[in-house]
Amino acid sequence: MKNLKIYSLGILIISFISCSKEDLVVDRELVNASADIEFTNETDFNSGIEAASDNSSFSDRNSDINSALASCATVTVDDATPGVFPKTFTIDYGTGCISNGITRSGSITVTLTDYIMNSGSITTIVRGNNYYINGRKVEGTIVYENTTTNTATPQWNRTITNGKITNNAGVVYNHSGTRTIKQIAGVSTLALLDNIYEVATGNHTVSKNNGATLTVTIVQPLIKKYACAHISQGQLDLQGSVLDGVLDYGDNTCDYFATYTHSNGVVYDITLL
């Protein structure tokens, strides 16, 4: 095994691959942007769940959850009448606040057509014009359509349109894609910390204005525990100018480790920081 690191939210150091320096830098930037995008998507979905839970719009069961969201952001709703939809929440983080180690500023809106857990409901998350997560400007719309057929395993189709993230250096990355997400644990409770999600299928593409792209495709379902900082299991196929291999998140342990196997068969240890 050789050692690599994904620093912060995903920079993959891949100097072991024979390639031009320019291609190497571009792929590294795109992997970093892809990880940032996944992180911001999960963060906003969790915020939507917390807002809905705090206001009894998560399901038709009574909820007494007191999430950390209210201590960080100002949450308002256009119609607080229980059971009345559509319902739009505005989550305003002001000039900046920190919750669960994440710094956010600006605002997002979350619109529900029904209880999040009901089949057929649509949850739409729209980022404001001045919305930042950990210093990165985040834009675009995410739509989650509940396609549940078995109430024991709720699922959603996620579609991203007009996705854009601007990093701390001012570089803009556009992105789009679809994924299928299932909740495989914590369904029977109102607590959030025992929730576990499986990202079963899907892909997304990240691009820079110079035309460089990275395509990320799920080849083995990803397991994301609400209580864990990182994905704990599953595999992603990475295809870029240099990258041509599989990122494996391991054996479902809540840790900071993964492996990358290049197309030539060489395996590299990954540290997620």
Side-chain angles (χ1 to χ4, degrees):
M1 293 269 185
K2 298 187 179 182
N3 292 322
L4 301 173
K5 290 187 178 180
I6 293 181
Y7 290 100
S8 181
L9 296 175
I11 301 178
L12 180 59
I13 306 302
I14 51 177
S15 58
F16 58 92
I17 301 174
S18 176
C19 61
S20 72
K21 182 178 179 180
E22 292 77 12
D23 286 343
L24 172 64
V25 170
V26 169
D27 265 11
R28 187 175 66 183
E29 290 177 353
L30 289 170
V31 170
N32 187 42
S34 177
D36 282 352
I37 290 162
E38 287 305 308
F39 176 76
T40 58
N41 291 340
E42 291 172 3
T43 297
D44 288 345
F45 185 51
N46 286 343
S47 295
I49 288 176
E50 290 184 61
S53 297
D54 285 345
N55 291 273
S56 300
S57 297
F58 182 69
S59 73
D60 57 2
R61 294 173 289 168
N62 291 329
S63 173
D64 58 359
I65 296 175
N66 292 309
S67 72
L69 185 66
S71 65
C72 182
T74 300
V75 181
T76 57
V77 60
D78 62 342
D79 190 338
T81 306
V84 173
F85 296 93
K87 196 181 297 291
T88 298
F89 298 94
T90 300
I91 305 174
D92 190 344
Y93 297 94
T95 58
C97 68
I98 301 174
S99 177
N100 296 327
I102 303 170
T103 301
R104 282 167 284 192
S105 62
S107 64
I108 62 174
T109 61
V110 182
T111 299
L112 314 177
T113 64
D114 198 351
Y115 293 109
I116 288 179
M117 299 298 285
N118 283 358
S119 181
S121 68
I122 295 176
T123 301
T124 302
I125 300 173
V126 179
R127 282 82 177 249
N129 292 328
N130 201 33
Y131 179 57
Y132 289 80
I133 299 180
N134 288 342
R136 296 157 176 81
K137 186 175 183 180
V138 184
E139 302 172 74
T141 300
I142 311 177
V143 176
Y144 290 85
E145 180 182 1
N146 189 310
T147 57
T148 301
T149 57
N150 179 355
T151 56
T153 55
Q155 69 177 36
W156 297 264
N157 286 338
R158 186 189 78 187
T159 303
I160 300 175
T161 56
N162 300 317
K164 183 185 295 186
I165 187 166
T166 305
N167 68 15
N168 295 327
V171 181
V172 177
Y173 299 90
N174 298 300
H175 63 96
S176 61
T178 60
R179 287 194 170 175
T180 300
I181 302 168
K182 297 180 181 180
Q183 184 176 349
I184 59 174
V187 177
S188 61
T189 73
L190 289 174
L192 298 179
L193 287 176
D194 61 356
N195 287 4
I196 300 177
Y197 299 94
E198 176 188 276
V199 186
T201 60
N203 61 74
H204 73 259
T205 300
V206 185
S207 63
K208 292 182 66 175
N209 288 337
N210 63 5
T213 64
L214 175 73
T215 300
V216 180
T217 304
I218 296 172
V219 294
Q220 184 183 93
L222 308 178
I223 303 299
K224 178 62 174 71
K225 300 175 182 178
Y226 191 94
C228 295
H230 299 286
I231 294 166
S232 56
Q233 184 175 315
Q235 296 180 348
L236 293 173
D237 177 70
L238 306 179
Q239 296 294 324
S241 298
V242 175
L243 286 174
D244 176 18
V246 174
L247 182 66
D248 190 330
Y249 286 96
D251 62 359
N252 206 21
T253 301
C254 190
D255 59 21
Y256 296 85
F257 307 109
T259 60
Y260 171 77
T261 304
H262 197 56
S263 57
N264 61 7
V266 180
V267 180
Y268 299 84
D269 289 325
I270 302 294
T271 301
L272 304 164
L273 296 178

